[in-house]
Amino acid sequence: MLKKRLCALAALLSLSAATLAAEVKLVVKADQAGPVIHRNIYGQFAEHLGTGIYEGMWVGPESKIPNVRGWRKDVIGALKALHVPLVRWPGGCFADEYHWREGIGPRNKRPVKVNTNWGGVAENNAVGTHEFFDLAEQLGAEAYVNGNLGTGSPQEMAEWLEYMTAEGDSTLAQLRRKNGRDKPFRVHYFAVGNEAWGCGGNMRPDYYVDLYRQAATFFKTPPNNRPIFIASGGTGHQIEWTEAIAKRAKGVPVDAISHHAYTLPTSDWAKKGQAVNFPESEWVSTLANAQQIDAMIRENVAVLDKLDPSKKIGFYFDEWGSWYDPEPGSNPGFLVQRNTLRDALLSALHFNVFHEHAERVKMTNIAQMVNVLQAMILTTKDKMVLTPTYHAFAMYVPFQDATSLPATLEGNPVYKVDKFEMPTVSATAARGKDGKLYLGLVNAHAHDAQSLTVDIGKPVQAARGQLLTADKMDAQNELGKPAQVVPKAFEAKASNGQLKLTLPAKSVLVVALEP
Ligand code: AHR
């Protein structure tokens, strides 16, 4: 009997301990403005890869699928609603095999090549410079052009820049006009090569820096159309590319270094893990791996802080996102994967970290926009579906150009499954352009709701916004079926100025606070 009572008491004590541990507090320094969260942190990437551009976005002006000068109306309309601020093109690995002269002039006269990187399919160059800028202009987005260092030359890159930006009567400016564009294109960003450590030429960092210096010497654009020049950096936890570029790329413009960070459930490129039907351990491993982005930034920014103390060089990510085993039955070279609630949380975890490092991280591109890897939109012929990732991006729109605010979590429990663990809650806070204080919150726990008290140093009356969650970890939106992952309106009233939020299990919440 006594043993039974003791057991009951122990159970009660452990329950109250669990309840206490579950009480998380978010403290926001609402009067300490941090750096502005550049809207281009929400940039996108469109590569000549699979159906990412052809079919997914570009159908050609003759298509029966409604389009504007070849770009699908449905897909572009949905992307516009996301306020896509920036698009990177034409690659990725494709960029280092792309020759811009093959993508101008009458489309039926352009050469057909083999896309050796992605599935060995025919590349008819239908989308070239003019079509890309039309896409950017239809979206109201800035343009990021990735130059070809791998199989190109300084001359080819310099002439492409001249073709796009020259105002006078040079032969290249006249050629652009003959091809239908009178005024120069606005090139906001220009990168020299991509993944020079791999598909971009298997180079050593120092060798790349020499080539960068050589090429950048010849980049001449009108002063009002000077792109931000980007050196292609390393990947994951590497720091040697950042170090070599910051140390040795002198005498030429280097405005930023762009790093890559893909998240795999298993960290094993040979067997990455499935996009759907995964165990809870892979839910946690994926989200915990996603949070490595914070360490990657800290490690590289520490290098930059030593070599570039005046903080002239930005640290960007022109590719990030989830990468799973390809969808069974698809062409493995097309990088098709399903997109689930897990991807929505993965995105929000990245956003929260990017905001924290807004001082150096002023541009990132998720890989990729449509049909490839962690896409916003999946298309099948003339139909399309908005993914959970799309909704996470939409919910975080108020953070574009918002002013970051210091936010700390107290009593944040560890969420652990097998050997994988991570903090349960992730949070960000910012003052939006509309003057409102926004919170972006993630509860990564697959089963437990989490209560959170919010302290912003003054009373709060309510929080209103949108909540994204679903019953299953791998809930997804599929054509012909009711969407399982869509944001729902959320409202919480404060009591005596004290705001307490309940974050459902596996959820993303974005709210504006009402004073
Ligand atoms: O986004 C797909 C590919 O991933 C890119 O082409 C390349 O840069 C990276 O390895």
Side-chain angles (χ1 to χ4, degrees), residues 27-57:
V27 180
V28 178
K29 303 276 180 217
D31 50 357
Q32 289 180 22
V36 168
I37 298 165
H38 200 297
R39 65 186 176 285
N40 288 346
I41 280 178
Y42 291 87
Q44 304 266 339
F45 173 33
E47 178 168 17
H48 290 240
L49 193 176
T51 57
I53 292 181
Y54 300 118
E55 193 179 312
M57 285 195 282

PDB file of all heavy atoms in Angstrom, residues 27-57:
ATOM      1  N   VAL A  27      11.458  36.663 -23.994  1.00  0.00           N
ATOM      2  CA  VAL A  27      11.720  38.055 -23.605  1.00  0.00           C
ATOM      3  C   VAL A  27      12.202  38.820 -24.837  1.00  0.00           C
ATOM      4  O   VAL A  27      13.195  38.447 -25.469  1.00  0.00           O
ATOM      5  CB  VAL A  27      12.793  38.120 -22.487  1.00  0.00           C
ATOM      6  CG1 VAL A  27      13.052  39.575 -22.081  1.00  0.00           C
ATOM      7  CG2 VAL A  27      12.369  37.291 -21.286  1.00  0.00           C
ATOM      8  N   VAL A  28      11.452  39.858 -25.177  1.00  0.00           N
ATOM      9  CA  VAL A  28      11.786  40.667 -26.350  1.00  0.00           C
ATOM     10  C   VAL A  28      12.174  42.065 -25.884  1.00  0.00           C
ATOM     11  O   VAL A  28      11.449  42.692 -25.116  1.00  0.00           O
ATOM     12  CB  VAL A  28      10.582  40.768 -27.317  1.00  0.00           C
ATOM     13  CG1 VAL A  28      10.923  41.650 -28.520  1.00  0.00           C
ATOM     14  CG2 VAL A  28      10.142  39.384 -27.781  1.00  0.00           C
ATOM     15  N   LYS A  29      13.341  42.526 -26.326  1.00  0.00           N
ATOM     16  CA  LYS A  29      13.761  43.906 -26.005  1.00  0.00           C
ATOM     17  C   LYS A  29      13.175  44.815 -27.085  1.00  0.00           C
ATOM     18  O   LYS A  29      13.820  45.089 -28.114  1.00  0.00           O
ATOM     19  CB  LYS A  29      15.289  44.017 -25.993  1.00  0.00           C
ATOM     20  CG  LYS A  29      15.944  43.049 -25.025  1.00  0.00           C
ATOM     21  CD  LYS A  29      15.970  43.633 -23.614  1.00  0.00           C
ATOM     22  CE  LYS A  29      16.610  42.672 -22.641  1.00  0.00           C
ATOM     23  NZ  LYS A  29      16.022  42.632 -21.333  1.00  0.00           N
ATOM     24  N   ALA A  30      11.938  45.224 -26.842  1.00  0.00           N
ATOM     25  CA  ALA A  30      11.190  45.935 -27.887  1.00  0.00           C
ATOM     26  C   ALA A  30      11.767  47.314 -28.197  1.00  0.00           C
ATOM     27  O   ALA A  30      11.498  47.874 -29.255  1.00  0.00           O
ATOM     28  CB  ALA A  30       9.732  46.063 -27.467  1.00  0.00           C
ATOM     29  N   ASP A  31      12.570  47.857 -27.262  1.00  0.00           N
ATOM     30  CA  ASP A  31      13.119  49.204 -27.493  1.00  0.00           C
ATOM     31  C   ASP A  31      14.572  49.165 -27.968  1.00  0.00           C
ATOM     32  O   ASP A  31      15.227  50.185 -28.061  1.00  0.00           O
ATOM     33  CB  ASP A  31      13.008  50.040 -26.211  1.00  0.00           C
ATOM     34  CG  ASP A  31      13.564  49.285 -25.016  1.00  0.00           C
ATOM     35  OD1 ASP A  31      13.959  48.113 -25.202  1.00  0.00           O
ATOM     36  OD2 ASP A  31      13.626  49.855 -23.919  1.00  0.00           O
ATOM     37  N   GLN A  32      15.084  47.965 -28.280  1.00  0.00           N
ATOM     38  CA  GLN A  32      16.486  47.864 -28.747  1.00  0.00           C
ATOM     39  C   GLN A  32      16.515  47.393 -30.199  1.00  0.00           C
ATOM     40  O   GLN A  32      16.633  46.204 -30.469  1.00  0.00           O
ATOM     41  CB  GLN A  32      17.266  46.886 -27.884  1.00  0.00           C
ATOM     42  CG  GLN A  32      17.545  47.395 -26.493  1.00  0.00           C
ATOM     43  CD  GLN A  32      18.333  46.394 -25.667  1.00  0.00           C
ATOM     44  OE1 GLN A  32      19.018  45.513 -26.176  1.00  0.00           O
ATOM     45  NE2 GLN A  32      18.211  46.526 -24.359  1.00  0.00           N
ATOM     46  N   ALA A  33      16.408  48.352 -31.118  1.00  0.00           N
ATOM     47  CA  ALA A  33      16.346  47.973 -32.532  1.00  0.00           C
ATOM     48  C   ALA A  33      17.656  47.352 -32.992  1.00  0.00           C
ATOM     49  O   ALA A  33      18.727  47.900 -32.752  1.00  0.00           O
ATOM     50  CB  ALA A  33      16.023  49.208 -33.364  1.00  0.00           C
ATOM     51  N   GLY A  34      17.562  46.208 -33.641  1.00  0.00           N
ATOM     52  CA  GLY A  34      18.740  45.559 -34.239  1.00  0.00           C
ATOM     53  C   GLY A  34      18.781  45.883 -35.727  1.00  0.00           C
ATOM     54  O   GLY A  34      18.080  46.786 -36.190  1.00  0.00           O
ATOM     55  N   PRO A  35      19.592  45.145 -36.490  1.00  0.00           N
ATOM     56  CA  PRO A  35      19.672  45.415 -37.920  1.00  0.00           C
ATOM     57  C   PRO A  35      18.371  45.090 -38.656  1.00  0.00           C
ATOM     58  O   PRO A  35      17.563  44.283 -38.185  1.00  0.00           O
ATOM     59  CB  PRO A  35      20.799  44.503 -38.403  1.00  0.00           C
ATOM     60  CG  PRO A  35      21.071  43.550 -37.307  1.00  0.00           C
ATOM     61  CD  PRO A  35      20.510  44.103 -36.039  1.00  0.00           C
ATOM     62  N   VAL A  36      18.211  45.725 -39.808  1.00  0.00           N
ATOM     63  CA  VAL A  36      17.023  45.464 -40.636  1.00  0.00           C
ATOM     64  C   VAL A  36      17.154  44.076 -41.274  1.00  0.00           C
ATOM     65  O   VAL A  36      18.232  43.669 -41.702  1.00  0.00           O
ATOM     66  CB  VAL A  36      16.880  46.566 -41.712  1.00  0.00           C
ATOM     67  CG1 VAL A  36      15.854  46.174 -42.771  1.00  0.00           C
ATOM     68  CG2 VAL A  36      16.500  47.882 -41.051  1.00  0.00           C
ATOM     69  N   ILE A  37      16.048  43.354 -41.287  1.00  0.00           N
ATOM     70  CA  ILE A  37      15.995  42.037 -41.926  1.00  0.00           C
ATOM     71  C   ILE A  37      15.757  42.279 -43.407  1.00  0.00           C
ATOM     72  O   ILE A  37      14.638  42.619 -43.819  1.00  0.00           O
ATOM     73  CB  ILE A  37      14.843  41.199 -41.314  1.00  0.00           C
ATOM     74  CG1 ILE A  37      15.096  40.975 -39.826  1.00  0.00           C
ATOM     75  CG2 ILE A  37      14.664  39.891 -42.068  1.00  0.00           C
ATOM     76  CD1 ILE A  37      13.869  40.490 -39.060  1.00  0.00           C
ATOM     77  N   HIS A  38      16.815  42.175 -44.195  1.00  0.00           N
ATOM     78  CA  HIS A  38      16.696  42.504 -45.623  1.00  0.00           C
ATOM     79  C   HIS A  38      15.660  41.580 -46.282  1.00  0.00           C
ATOM     80  O   HIS A  38      15.680  40.371 -46.065  1.00  0.00           O
ATOM     81  CB  HIS A  38      18.056  42.344 -46.306  1.00  0.00           C
ATOM     82  CG  HIS A  38      18.146  43.077 -47.596  1.00  0.00           C
ATOM     83  ND1 HIS A  38      17.341  42.763 -48.676  1.00  0.00           N
ATOM     84  CD2 HIS A  38      18.916  44.112 -47.990  1.00  0.00           C
ATOM     85  CE1 HIS A  38      17.631  43.577 -49.676  1.00  0.00           C
ATOM     86  NE2 HIS A  38      18.588  44.408 -49.287  1.00  0.00           N
ATOM     87  N   ARG A  39      14.770  42.182 -47.076  1.00  0.00           N
ATOM     88  CA  ARG A  39      13.730  41.342 -47.701  1.00  0.00           C
ATOM     89  C   ARG A  39      14.329  40.228 -48.555  1.00  0.00           C
ATOM     90  O   ARG A  39      13.734  39.169 -48.746  1.00  0.00           O
ATOM     91  CB  ARG A  39      12.759  42.187 -48.528  1.00  0.00           C
ATOM     92  CG  ARG A  39      13.377  42.857 -49.724  1.00  0.00           C
ATOM     93  CD  ARG A  39      12.378  43.791 -50.417  1.00  0.00           C
ATOM     94  NE  ARG A  39      13.019  44.502 -51.506  1.00  0.00           N
ATOM     95  CZ  ARG A  39      13.860  45.507 -51.355  1.00  0.00           C
ATOM     96  NH1 ARG A  39      14.152  45.935 -50.142  1.00  0.00           N
ATOM     97  NH2 ARG A  39      14.421  46.077 -52.392  1.00  0.00           N
ATOM     98  N   ASN A  40      15.558  40.447 -49.066  1.00  0.00           N
ATOM     99  CA  ASN A  40      16.149  39.425 -49.940  1.00  0.00           C
ATOM    100  C   ASN A  40      16.590  38.171 -49.197  1.00  0.00           C
ATOM    101  O   ASN A  40      17.028  37.201 -49.813  1.00  0.00           O
ATOM    102  CB  ASN A  40      17.296  40.027 -50.743  1.00  0.00           C
ATOM    103  CG  ASN A  40      16.773  40.965 -51.823  1.00  0.00           C
ATOM    104  OD1 ASN A  40      15.576  40.955 -52.118  1.00  0.00           O
ATOM    105  ND2 ASN A  40      17.632  41.784 -52.394  1.00  0.00           N
ATOM    106  N   ILE A  41      16.438  38.171 -47.879  1.00  0.00           N
ATOM    107  CA  ILE A  41      16.599  36.913 -47.129  1.00  0.00           C
ATOM    108  C   ILE A  41      15.540  35.916 -47.608  1.00  0.00           C
ATOM    109  O   ILE A  41      15.706  34.706 -47.528  1.00  0.00           O
ATOM    110  CB  ILE A  41      16.461  37.191 -45.611  1.00  0.00           C
ATOM    111  CG1 ILE A  41      17.772  37.757 -45.079  1.00  0.00           C
ATOM    112  CG2 ILE A  41      16.076  35.929 -44.854  1.00  0.00           C
ATOM    113  CD1 ILE A  41      17.743  38.102 -43.604  1.00  0.00           C
ATOM    114  N   TYR A  42      14.449  36.459 -48.157  1.00  0.00           N
ATOM    115  CA  TYR A  42      13.345  35.613 -48.647  1.00  0.00           C
ATOM    116  C   TYR A  42      13.443  35.375 -50.155  1.00  0.00           C
ATOM    117  O   TYR A  42      12.439  35.147 -50.822  1.00  0.00           O
ATOM    118  CB  TYR A  42      12.004  36.247 -48.242  1.00  0.00           C
ATOM    119  CG  TYR A  42      11.834  36.163 -46.744  1.00  0.00           C
ATOM    120  CD1 TYR A  42      12.340  37.153 -45.907  1.00  0.00           C
ATOM    121  CD2 TYR A  42      11.262  35.043 -46.157  1.00  0.00           C
ATOM    122  CE1 TYR A  42      12.254  37.047 -44.535  1.00  0.00           C
ATOM    123  CE2 TYR A  42      11.173  34.929 -44.787  1.00  0.00           C
ATOM    124  CZ  TYR A  42      11.667  35.933 -43.980  1.00  0.00           C
ATOM    125  OH  TYR A  42      11.590  35.789 -42.613  1.00  0.00           O
ATOM    126  N   GLY A  43      14.682  35.420 -50.690  1.00  0.00           N
ATOM    127  CA  GLY A  43      14.905  35.225 -52.128  1.00  0.00           C
ATOM    128  C   GLY A  43      14.692  33.775 -52.566  1.00  0.00           C
ATOM    129  O   GLY A  43      14.628  32.854 -51.744  1.00  0.00           O
ATOM    130  N   GLN A  44      14.598  33.618 -53.874  1.00  0.00           N
ATOM    131  CA  GLN A  44      14.307  32.294 -54.453  1.00  0.00           C
ATOM    132  C   GLN A  44      15.337  31.962 -55.530  1.00  0.00           C
ATOM    133  O   GLN A  44      16.044  32.840 -56.015  1.00  0.00           O
ATOM    134  CB  GLN A  44      12.917  32.314 -55.098  1.00  0.00           C
ATOM    135  CG  GLN A  44      11.812  32.721 -54.163  1.00  0.00           C
ATOM    136  CD  GLN A  44      11.132  31.550 -53.500  1.00  0.00           C
ATOM    137  OE1 GLN A  44      11.203  30.427 -53.994  1.00  0.00           O
ATOM    138  NE2 GLN A  44      10.469  31.797 -52.393  1.00  0.00           N
ATOM    139  N   PHE A  45      15.334  30.707 -55.925  1.00  0.00           N
ATOM    140  CA  PHE A  45      16.324  30.200 -56.881  1.00  0.00           C
ATOM    141  C   PHE A  45      15.593  29.397 -57.960  1.00  0.00           C
ATOM    142  O   PHE A  45      14.800  28.506 -57.646  1.00  0.00           O
ATOM    143  CB  PHE A  45      17.313  29.325 -56.090  1.00  0.00           C
ATOM    144  CG  PHE A  45      18.322  28.568 -56.898  1.00  0.00           C
ATOM    145  CD1 PHE A  45      18.840  29.070 -58.082  1.00  0.00           C
ATOM    146  CD2 PHE A  45      18.795  27.339 -56.445  1.00  0.00           C
ATOM    147  CE1 PHE A  45      19.803  28.371 -58.805  1.00  0.00           C
ATOM    148  CE2 PHE A  45      19.746  26.627 -57.139  1.00  0.00           C
ATOM    149  CZ  PHE A  45      20.246  27.141 -58.323  1.00  0.00           C
ATOM    150  N   ALA A  46      15.855  29.735 -59.212  1.00  0.00           N
ATOM    151  CA  ALA A  46      15.246  28.991 -60.339  1.00  0.00           C
ATOM    152  C   ALA A  46      16.361  28.556 -61.273  1.00  0.00           C
ATOM    153  O   ALA A  46      17.032  29.383 -61.881  1.00  0.00           O
ATOM    154  CB  ALA A  46      14.247  29.877 -61.081  1.00  0.00           C
ATOM    155  N   GLU A  47      16.559  27.253 -61.376  1.00  0.00           N
ATOM    156  CA  GLU A  47      17.648  26.704 -62.199  1.00  0.00           C
ATOM    157  C   GLU A  47      17.069  25.934 -63.382  1.00  0.00           C
ATOM    158  O   GLU A  47      15.951  25.411 -63.311  1.00  0.00           O
ATOM    159  CB  GLU A  47      18.497  25.765 -61.317  1.00  0.00           C
ATOM    160  CG  GLU A  47      19.640  25.098 -62.074  1.00  0.00           C
ATOM    161  CD  GLU A  47      20.656  24.407 -61.168  1.00  0.00           C
ATOM    162  OE1 GLU A  47      20.335  24.149 -59.988  1.00  0.00           O
ATOM    163  OE2 GLU A  47      21.771  24.119 -61.660  1.00  0.00           O
ATOM    164  N   HIS A  48      17.851  25.838 -64.437  1.00  0.00           N
ATOM    165  CA  HIS A  48      17.464  24.964 -65.560  1.00  0.00           C
ATOM    166  C   HIS A  48      17.677  23.523 -65.077  1.00  0.00           C
ATOM    167  O   HIS A  48      18.739  22.939 -65.278  1.00  0.00           O
ATOM    168  CB  HIS A  48      18.328  25.262 -66.785  1.00  0.00           C
ATOM    169  CG  HIS A  48      18.035  26.590 -67.406  1.00  0.00           C
ATOM    170  ND1 HIS A  48      17.608  26.739 -68.713  1.00  0.00           N
ATOM    171  CD2 HIS A  48      18.069  27.837 -66.884  1.00  0.00           C
ATOM    172  CE1 HIS A  48      17.417  28.026 -68.973  1.00  0.00           C
ATOM    173  NE2 HIS A  48      17.696  28.709 -67.880  1.00  0.00           N
ATOM    174  N   LEU A  49      16.694  23.005 -64.426  1.00  0.00           N
ATOM    175  CA  LEU A  49      16.807  21.703 -63.756  1.00  0.00           C
ATOM    176  C   LEU A  49      15.409  21.079 -63.726  1.00  0.00           C
ATOM    177  O   LEU A  49      14.481  21.687 -63.176  1.00  0.00           O
ATOM    178  CB  LEU A  49      17.331  21.935 -62.330  1.00  0.00           C
ATOM    179  CG  LEU A  49      17.838  20.775 -61.480  1.00  0.00           C
ATOM    180  CD1 LEU A  49      18.393  21.261 -60.158  1.00  0.00           C
ATOM    181  CD2 LEU A  49      16.880  19.649 -61.284  1.00  0.00           C
ATOM    182  N   GLY A  50      15.283  19.896 -64.307  1.00  0.00           N
ATOM    183  CA  GLY A  50      13.999  19.205 -64.289  1.00  0.00           C
ATOM    184  C   GLY A  50      12.892  20.090 -64.833  1.00  0.00           C
ATOM    185  O   GLY A  50      13.045  20.772 -65.849  1.00  0.00           O
ATOM    186  N   THR A  51      11.773  20.128 -64.106  1.00  0.00           N
ATOM    187  CA  THR A  51      10.650  20.962 -64.544  1.00  0.00           C
ATOM    188  C   THR A  51      10.566  22.247 -63.713  1.00  0.00           C
ATOM    189  O   THR A  51       9.502  22.844 -63.581  1.00  0.00           O
ATOM    190  CB  THR A  51       9.317  20.179 -64.441  1.00  0.00           C
ATOM    191  OG1 THR A  51       9.165  19.733 -63.092  1.00  0.00           O
ATOM    192  CG2 THR A  51       9.283  19.002 -65.377  1.00  0.00           C
ATOM    193  N   GLY A  52      11.720  22.638 -63.168  1.00  0.00           N
ATOM    194  CA  GLY A  52      11.751  23.838 -62.327  1.00  0.00           C
ATOM    195  C   GLY A  52      11.420  25.091 -63.117  1.00  0.00           C
ATOM    196  O   GLY A  52      10.705  25.972 -62.639  1.00  0.00           O
ATOM    197  N   ILE A  53      11.965  25.188 -64.328  1.00  0.00           N
ATOM    198  CA  ILE A  53      11.652  26.342 -65.179  1.00  0.00           C
ATOM    199  C   ILE A  53      10.716  25.895 -66.294  1.00  0.00           C
ATOM    200  O   ILE A  53       9.572  26.353 -66.377  1.00  0.00           O
ATOM    201  CB  ILE A  53      12.948  26.980 -65.720  1.00  0.00           C
ATOM    202  CG1 ILE A  53      13.726  27.633 -64.564  1.00  0.00           C
ATOM    203  CG2 ILE A  53      12.611  28.009 -66.814  1.00  0.00           C
ATOM    204  CD1 ILE A  53      15.009  28.332 -64.940  1.00  0.00           C
ATOM    205  N   TYR A  54      11.197  24.984 -67.164  1.00  0.00           N
ATOM    206  CA  TYR A  54      10.355  24.517 -68.260  1.00  0.00           C
ATOM    207  C   TYR A  54       9.224  23.665 -67.690  1.00  0.00           C
ATOM    208  O   TYR A  54       9.469  22.739 -66.926  1.00  0.00           O
ATOM    209  CB  TYR A  54      11.187  23.707 -69.264  1.00  0.00           C
ATOM    210  CG  TYR A  54      12.310  24.542 -69.868  1.00  0.00           C
ATOM    211  CD1 TYR A  54      13.645  24.200 -69.676  1.00  0.00           C
ATOM    212  CD2 TYR A  54      12.029  25.698 -70.599  1.00  0.00           C
ATOM    213  CE1 TYR A  54      14.666  24.977 -70.219  1.00  0.00           C
ATOM    214  CE2 TYR A  54      13.042  26.479 -71.133  1.00  0.00           C
ATOM    215  CZ  TYR A  54      14.355  26.126 -70.939  1.00  0.00           C
ATOM    216  OH  TYR A  54      15.358  26.900 -71.462  1.00  0.00           O
ATOM    217  N   GLU A  55       7.993  24.013 -68.054  1.00  0.00           N
ATOM    218  CA  GLU A  55       6.783  23.347 -67.570  1.00  0.00           C
ATOM    219  C   GLU A  55       6.311  23.924 -66.241  1.00  0.00           C
ATOM    220  O   GLU A  55       5.172  24.316 -66.101  1.00  0.00           O
ATOM    221  CB  GLU A  55       6.972  21.821 -67.444  1.00  0.00           C
ATOM    222  CG  GLU A  55       5.662  21.074 -67.257  1.00  0.00           C
ATOM    223  CD  GLU A  55       5.874  19.565 -67.152  1.00  0.00           C
ATOM    224  OE1 GLU A  55       6.592  18.970 -67.983  1.00  0.00           O
ATOM    225  OE2 GLU A  55       5.295  18.978 -66.216  1.00  0.00           O
ATOM    226  N   GLY A  56       7.209  24.000 -65.251  1.00  0.00           N
ATOM    227  CA  GLY A  56       6.807  24.516 -63.939  1.00  0.00           C
ATOM    228  C   GLY A  56       6.477  25.999 -63.972  1.00  0.00           C
ATOM    229  O   GLY A  56       5.568  26.459 -63.284  1.00  0.00           O
ATOM    230  N   MET A  57       7.239  26.761 -64.774  1.00  0.00           N
ATOM    231  CA  MET A  57       6.974  28.200 -64.863  1.00  0.00           C
ATOM    232  C   MET A  57       6.848  28.670 -66.305  1.00  0.00           C
ATOM    233  O   MET A  57       5.998  29.456 -66.647  1.00  0.00           O
ATOM    234  CB  MET A  57       8.105  28.987 -64.180  1.00  0.00           C
ATOM    235  CG  MET A  57       8.040  28.931 -62.677  1.00  0.00           C
ATOM    236  SD  MET A  57       9.091  30.192 -61.928  1.00  0.00           S
ATOM    237  CE  MET A  57      10.670  29.436 -62.114  1.00  0.00           C
TER     238      MET A  57
END
